[in-house]
Amino acid sequence: MDVVLLSRLQFAATTMFHFLFVPLTLGLSILVAWMETRYARTGDEVYLRMTKFWGKLFLINFAVGVVTGITLEFQFGTNWSQYSAYVGDIFGSLLAIEATAAFFLESTFIGIWIFGWKRLSAKAHAGVMWMVAIAGNASAIWILIANAWMQHPVGYTLRESFGGQRAEITDFMAVITQKFAWLTIMHTIAASIVLACFFVMGISAWHLLRKQHEEVFTRSFRMALVPGLIFSLFVAIQGDFHAVDVAHTQPAKMAAMEFHWETQPNAPSYLFAWPDPEAEKNSIEIGKIPGMLSFLIHHDFSTPVTGLKDIPKDERPPIALVGMAFRVMVGLGAYFIIACSIGWFFRKRLQEKTWYLKMMLWSIPLPYIATQAGWLVTEVGRQPWIVYGLMKTSDAVSPISTGQVATSLVAFIVVYGLLGLAGFTMIAKKAMKGPDLPEATETKA
């Protein structure tokens, strides 16, 4: 393995691990704020127990997410110094805003929320939790804007600097308002809410199957079911708009997602296919639907869709990985809609439907798999570019040795593995223990 591949593996391993915690932080903060608002408005102690229980799980998840995210920004200086020198004016400014504004606010309000139970009114305390949710999602928005610029660079110019070129911002508003960024933001945040809803419904199902804390977890399940169904549908519909934009801005990624080789009108889609990149065709094609790809992308059967054969071989992403990740993401997205629809039908008889509760318990990992698959489609599908059309990944690495990257990669895997084990163990123990008894909740309130 060379420095480029090892650096890519290191960044992929750390980012994907970090992204196990980010979506739950974004989605669960909103659900906890909603639960606490119900308590502030009604004074119902069940909502207070729900807020405290899910709030503790949120805090554990947030803490592990912060720790695993710190090293990511350092890697831009250690492993990707050429990239940092080339686009630091743009990428660095967006990360700086995220760190000094959104993340700072999120951390501050979390502190107020933890220590403010006896110092703030119920409504003010609920308001603080909403600020946590808003600041946390704002933090994600700035990160996603920075990532979207790598996917679709706009609002910049190239200037000579220190004997080479570097990208500099010429239109900040174009960078932060571009369509690609906001389609990505809506898709990611909506998917995070779905993940949090399945997390809440899965843990609630575990307790309902054991017939313990039934009032708390019946309400928790129903409160997660509504946004779970709404945002599962939203992710699917909005994902179609996002895919249309990807087809125009990154045709190579779309062609890889669909295993599409020939530029042609009436482009087909397949229920299942497997690519043979050497032969530049699919070795397996099952369930051909003529014209479906043209219709999905252009809303017209006759408009041609760019195929992989019209893209230079050295500018094609890893086709099999991108295409399969896309199918996993789409397939699980369909499952989430079906699972939530069934839950909506049985919402008043949840305790009677043990098969459904077991299904939702075992569904907890699925949104994690879907979000990881989505990350693979987005990031691997952009290759070989680190900044699409401007800078290739092979030109972005630092002038360091293979041994240095290999050593740090092993260290990251060991440390992150231990962190993950500790984090998920704490979350699992707290989740299985359940909420405090009403007397204990009152004492701590």
Side-chain angles (χ1 to χ4, degrees):
M1 293 186 183
D2 58 14
V3 172
V4 176
L5 182 55
L6 285 170
S7 294
R8 286 181 61 190
L9 287 175
Q10 181 170 308
F11 197 78
T14 51
T15 305
M16 292 180 76
F17 188 85
H18 174 60
F19 205 64
L20 288 173
F21 300 94
V22 172
L24 185 60
T25 295
L26 301 180
L28 192 55
S29 63
I30 296 173
L31 291 178
V32 172
W34 185 23
M35 292 172 186
E36 189 169 7
T37 301
R38 298 289 293 270
Y39 167 66
R41 294 183 62 183
T42 65
D44 189 332
E45 294 295 328
V46 174
Y47 289 120
L48 178 61
R49 295 177 67 198
M50 290 165 60
T51 300
K52 287 179 174 282
F53 172 72
W54 297 111
K56 287 176 182 175
L57 294 180
F58 163 78
L59 292 175
I60 296 170
N61 183 78
F62 173 80
V64 181
V66 169
V67 172
T68 57
I70 290 174
T71 60
L72 295 179
E73 295 185 12
F74 288 113
Q75 288 185 52
F76 291 115
T78 56
N79 293 29
W80 304 101
S81 61
Q82 299 301 317
Y83 165 79
S84 298
Y86 189 69
V87 301
D89 182 71
I90 301 170
F91 197 77
S93 63
L94 297 171
L95 292 188
I97 294 171
E98 183 274 335
T100 57
F103 180 69
F104 176 78
L105 281 177
E106 182 185 18
S107 303
T108 301
F109 281 111
I110 283 178
I112 296 172
W113 191 77
I114 293 173
F115 298 105
W117 282 104
K118 293 184 177 179
R119 296 171 176 83
L120 298 173
S121 68
K123 290 183 179 179
H125 200 266
V128 170
M129 192 61 213
W130 277 112
M131 291 306 299
V132 170
I134 292 169
N137 282 274
S139 178
I141 286 173
W142 284 107
I143 295 289
L144 291 170
I145 288 174
N147 181 271
W149 189 85
M150 297 167 67
Q151 305 280 345
H152 185 233
V154 295
Y156 71 95
T157 188
L158 295 177
R159 288 200 173 94
E160 294 295 326
S161 177
F162 300 104
Q165 282 191 325
R166 65 191 298 267
E168 296 181 1
I169 288 182
T170 56
D171 188 344
F172 185 71
M173 290 304 295
V175 173
I176 66 173
T177 60
Q178 68 155 310
K179 182 180 178 181
F180 193 100
W182 285 96
L183 288 171
T184 303
I185 289 164
M186 287 189 285
H187 198 67
T188 305
I189 291 180
S192 299
I193 294 173
V194 173
L195 184 147
C197 290
F198 271 77
F199 179 83
V200 170
M201 288 189 286
I203 292 174
S204 298
W206 191 85
H207 287 281
L208 291 176
L209 285 166
R210 283 156 183 76
K211 300 189 182 303
Q212 54 193 22
H213 312 292
E214 290 185 87
E215 186 65 30
V216 168
F217 289 108
T218 299
R219 292 195 197 183
S220 294
F221 197 110
R222 289 174 180 165
M223 287 189 71
L225 179 61
V226 175
L229 177 57
I230 293 171
F231 283 95
S232 293
L233 289 167
F234 178 83
V235 168
I237 297 169
Q238 190 271 340
D240 178 65
F241 286 97
H242 195 19
V244 170
D245 194 58
V246 168
H248 290 290
T249 56
Q250 298 180 335
K253 180 188 286 185
M254 174 53 68
M257 288 161 61
E258 292 287 349
F259 298 150
H260 181 62
W261 293 96
E262 303 283 351
T263 300
Q264 57 182 299
N266 200 36
S269 187
Y270 299 92
L271 296 179
F272 181 80
W274 188 255
D276 182 350
E278 293 299 322
E280 296 191 314
K281 66 176 186 178
N282 293 328
S283 56
I284 301 174
E285 291 179 343
I286 300 174
K288 181 178 180 179
I289 307 175
M292 180 56 71
L293 186 56
S294 288
F295 180 77
L296 289 174
I297 293 175
H298 299 294
H299 301 156
D300 176 69
F301 290 104
S302 60
T303 305
V305 177
T306 303
L308 286 160
K309 286 185 179 179
D310 281 341
I311 296 165
K313 285 188 176 182
D314 63 350
E315 294 183 7
R316 298 174 188 170
I319 298 164
L321 179 58
V322 173
M324 288 310 298
F326 176 67
R327 281 155 179 75
V328 169
M329 179 181 67
V330 172
L332 288 174
Y335 170 80
F336 301 148
I337 295 172
I338 295 170
C340 290
S341 299
I342 295 172
W344 177 258
F345 184 74
F346 293 132
R347 65 189 184 281
K348 295 182 180 177
R349 296 174 288 160
L350 287 172
Q351 291 90 335
E352 302 171 13
K353 305 299 177 184
T354 56
W355 63 270
Y356 177 69
L357 294 175
K358 289 177 182 177
M359 184 180 92
M360 295 306 288
L361 170 61
W362 290 105
S363 295
I364 292 177
L366 299 183
Y368 287 93
I369 296 172
T371 54
Q372 294 285 317
W375 186 89
L376 284 173
V377 172
T378 302
E379 303 306 316
V380 179
R382 182 188 56 203
Q383 298 301 323
W385 303 99
I386 192 167
V387 181
Y388 200 79
L390 275 184
M391 183 182 210
K392 288 192 172 181
T393 307
S394 56
D395 298 325
V397 294
S398 302
I400 52 179
S401 69
T402 302
Q404 288 174 309
V405 187
T407 302
S408 58
L409 172 60
V410 172
F412 271 120
I413 291 174
V414 172
V415 173
Y416 273 46
L418 293 174
L419 275 173
L421 180 64
F424 283 119
T425 300
M426 285 191 290
I427 290 173
K429 282 187 174 181
K430 179 59 188 170
M432 289 189 290
K433 181 184 176 184
D436 293 330
L437 296 173
E439 296 78 10
T441 305
E442 179 64 26
T443 301
K444 294 176 182 178

